[in-house]
Amino acid sequence: MWKGRPTGTRGHAGRPSSPASADRRVRVRWRTLLTVLTAVVVLVGGCADFTAQDNQREAGAFSPNNRPSGQPEPTPPPETPRETQPPPTGPCVDPDPAVIATCLASTGGVMPGDEQGEVTVVAERTTGKILTTKRYGPARTLGEAPVDASGDGGLIDFAFSPTYSQDRLIYAYITTPSDNRIVRLAPGDVPKPILTGIPKGATGNMGAMYFRSPTELVVATGNAGNPAAADDPSSLAGKVLLVTSFTSGASPRPAILASGFGSTVSLCPNASTGTVYVADQTATEDRVQVLEEGGPKVLWTWPDRPQIAGCGVAAGSIFVSTTRTQRIEAINEPTREEPTITAPAVVLERRYGALGRMAALPNGLLQVATVNKEVGTAKPTDDRVFRFLPAGGGNDRT
C-alpha cells in the first residue's frame, strides 16, 4: 500500500506492504466504511445546523451531544417492498432508473452510501450542505458549513470520521472568504478549523481528500490558479498533503507527499492495493498520474483537455469523468504483468450532461455527480447523481 514519505518538493512513496498485510488493511477499511455508511443511511434522521461563522482559529471544545449516552437512535419506519412501491410524482422525479439523487445544487464530492451503491452521499458545492439520499428520496442533511462558492470554490469534498458511528464527525474541505481549509463538523456545533491557509484563487480551488487510516487524512489541493505555487515548497497549493493533527485551532503544517498538481485535482485510491492515482487539469493537458516512490508518474494525458473532474478505480480500470466532453472514459490500470497503458475507451457519452466528481465501488459500479447548473444545460431534475456499471465492469475495452 502506498504510504508516502514527506518531502518539500516532489512526492515520494514508501515501499509496498506485503500482499497479505495490504489485504488485511483493505478488509478493515471496507468494514469500517460499511459501518460508517450504515450509520449514515439508517441512523441519521436530523439535520446538522451550522449557521454561525467560524472565523476564529481558537474555536474551543465541541458542545456536548444532546442525546444521553446509551439512548438508542430513532429507527426509521420499514419501507414498502420495492416491487409494490408506486413511483412518486413531482418535478424532482427523474424517469431514468439509474438516477438516485435529483434537484441538487451544483455538486462537489460524492461517495456511495451503501454497499450496493443505491444510496449516495453528495456535497452541494454552492450551499455547503452534505446530503444523503436514494432514488425517490428523501434527502437528509448530514452536515453543513458556510462557504464562499464564488468561482469553483465552496464545499469541495468531505470525509467521514473513521469512528463516525460513535462520534458523528465529518471533515469538510471548504472555501471561505480568505482561504481554502479543512474543518470538522459535529451535530449542533459550528465548524471547527483543522487545517487553514490553503491558497484560494478565482479558479483552481477544487481538490479532494480521504482517510487512508484512522489517523491519516490525505488531502489533494488545487493550484489556486497559480501554476508556480504547485512547485513552491512553501505553498500548500497544488499538493498532496498528509494531515495527522485533528485538534481544532492547532492547524500545524501538514507533510507534503507530492507536488506539481494543477486544478480540479481528484484522488482515486485502489482499495485493494492501496495504489493512489491523481487526476488533474493543467494549462496544456488533462492527465492521470500514479504516486510512486520516485514521485508522481504520468500514465496518460489528454491534450484536448476534456476537463477531467473526477476519477475512480474499479475492476482493473481507472475511470475519469469529464465536464466539457460529458464522458466517462476508462484506461486500464497498469499491473506488473500488463504495465502498458492503452488508449482510453469511452464507456458513456453525453447521456447526463456535464459530469463532475465520481466514486467507485468494489463491485465495479460508479456513482457520478453532474454539474449542469454550473457549466452545462440544466434539466428540471438537475443536478443529479447517477449509478453506472460499465460493460464488463470496465475491462470490456473492445
Side-chain angles (χ1 to χ4, degrees), residues 92-226:
C92 290
V93 176
D94 195 293
D96 187 335
V99 174
I100 56 175
T102 60
C103 294
L104 300 168
S106 190
T107 60
V110 64
M111 68 178 295
D114 66 346
E115 193 172 4
Q116 293 75 37
E118 296 178 353
V119 178
T120 191
V121 186
V122 58
E124 288 190 326
R125 182 182 63 81
T126 53
T127 69
K129 293 181 179 180
I130 300 168
L131 305 174
T132 182
T133 190
K134 60 182 179 180
R135 183 159 176 80
Y136 302 145
R140 296 170 178 164
T141 302
L142 302 182
E144 185 175 354
V147 297
D148 178 359
S150 59
D152 62 350
L155 175 54
I156 295 168
D157 203 2
F158 62 93
F160 289 98
S161 162
T163 53
Y164 177 80
S165 59
Q166 287 80 43
D167 57 33
R168 292 293 191 266
L169 299 179
I170 304 176
Y171 294 83
Y173 187 177
I174 67 171
T175 307
T176 74
S178 60
D179 65 359
N180 289 306
R181 59 176 60 185
I182 308 299
V183 298
R184 186 176 61 190
L185 309 179
D189 211 343
V190 296
K192 301 298 177 67
I194 299 300
L195 174 64
T196 60
I198 301 171
K200 170 192 175 184
T203 60
N205 298 293
M206 289 294 288
M209 63 182 187
Y210 76 99
F211 274 98
R212 76 175 185 187
S213 80
T215 59
E216 297 175 308
L217 180 66
V218 178
V219 179
T221 66
N223 65 11
N226 180 10

Side-chain angles (χ1 to χ4, degrees), residues 1-380:
M1 180 178 295
W2 175 81
K3 295 297 290 181
R5 193 178 303 139
T7 176
T9 53
R10 301 296 291 181
H12 297 275
R15 291 183 175 85
S17 303
S18 68
S21 174
D23 185 60
R24 283 194 299 273
R25 278 194 290 268
V26 168
R27 289 197 300 268
V28 170
R29 177 185 300 171
W30 275 104
R31 282 198 298 269
T32 301
L33 179 59
L34 291 176
T35 299
V36 168
L37 297 181
T38 299
V40 169
V41 176
V42 177
L43 299 180
V44 179
C47 299
D49 182 15
F50 302 109
T51 55
Q53 294 286 338
D54 182 32
N55 294 326
Q56 300 297 324
R57 292 168 63 93
E58 299 77 23
F62 280 110
S63 303
N65 290 331
N66 293 326
R67 184 174 302 280
S69 176
Q71 182 173 330
E73 297 279 354
T75 302
E79 295 183 3
T80 305
R82 188 177 306 169
E83 63 272 12
T84 63
Q85 186 174 11
T89 59
C92 290
V93 176
D94 195 293
D96 187 335
V99 174
I100 56 175
T102 60
C103 294
L104 300 168
S106 190
T107 60
V110 64
M111 68 178 295
D114 66 346
E115 193 172 4
Q116 293 75 37
E118 296 178 353
V119 178
T120 191
V121 186
V122 58
E124 288 190 326
R125 182 182 63 81
T126 53
T127 69
K129 293 181 179 180
I130 300 168
L131 305 174
T132 182
T133 190
K134 60 182 179 180
R135 183 159 176 80
Y136 302 145
R140 296 170 178 164
T141 302
L142 302 182
E144 185 175 354
V147 297
D148 178 359
S150 59
D152 62 350
L155 175 54
I156 295 168
D157 203 2
F158 62 93
F160 289 98
S161 162
T163 53
Y164 177 80
S165 59
Q166 287 80 43
D167 57 33
R168 292 293 191 266
L169 299 179
I170 304 176
Y171 294 83
Y173 187 177
I174 67 171
T175 307
T176 74
S178 60
D179 65 359
N180 289 306
R181 59 176 60 185
I182 308 299
V183 298
R184 186 176 61 190
L185 309 179
D189 211 343
V190 296
K192 301 298 177 67
I194 299 300
L195 174 64
T196 60
I198 301 171
K200 170 192 175 184
T203 60
N205 298 293
M206 289 294 288
M209 63 182 187
Y210 76 99
F211 274 98
R212 76 175 185 187
S213 80
T215 59
E216 297 175 308
L217 180 66
V218 178
V219 179
T221 66
N223 65 11
N226 180 10
D231 290 313
D232 181 353
S234 67
S235 173
L236 296 181
K239 308 292 192 297
V240 174
L241 309 172
L242 184 64
V243 178
T244 57
S245 174
F246 303 101
T247 303
S248 173
S251 196
R253 184 174 177 84
I256 296 177
L257 300 180
S259 303
F261 298 99
S263 62
T264 316
V265 187
S266 55
L267 294 167
C268 39
N270 182 318
S272 298
T273 65
T275 303
V276 179
Y277 302 97
V278 185
D280 67 344
Q281 303 175 18
T282 73
T284 58
E285 62 191 10
D286 293 359
R287 59 191 179 180
V288 169
Q289 302 181 83
V290 60
L291 298 185
E292 293 190 339
E293 186 171 355
K297 174 186 175 182
V298 174
L299 297 181
W300 197 266
T301 63
W302 286 258
D304 60 332
R305 301 176 64 201
Q307 295 181 346
I308 292 177
C311 62
V313 181
S317 291
I318 305 168
F319 297 93
V320 296
S321 50
T322 69
T323 301
R324 183 181 64 81
T325 57
Q326 303 179 5
R327 291 174 170 178
I328 296 177
E329 298 188 27
I331 59 174
N332 61 293
E333 187 178 11
T335 63
R336 189 169 299 175
E337 295 75 20
E338 297 184 22
T340 302
I341 304 294
T342 57
V346 177
V347 298
L348 182 76
E349 185 171 21
R350 296 187 180 277
R351 187 181 303 175
Y352 296 98
L355 305 183
R357 297 300 197 182
M358 70 157 51
L361 284 83
N363 62 8
L365 188 76
L366 305 175
Q367 285 191 1
V368 188
T370 69
V371 288
N372 289 310
K373 286 184 176 178
E374 177 186 355
V375 296
T377 301
K379 294 186 176 181

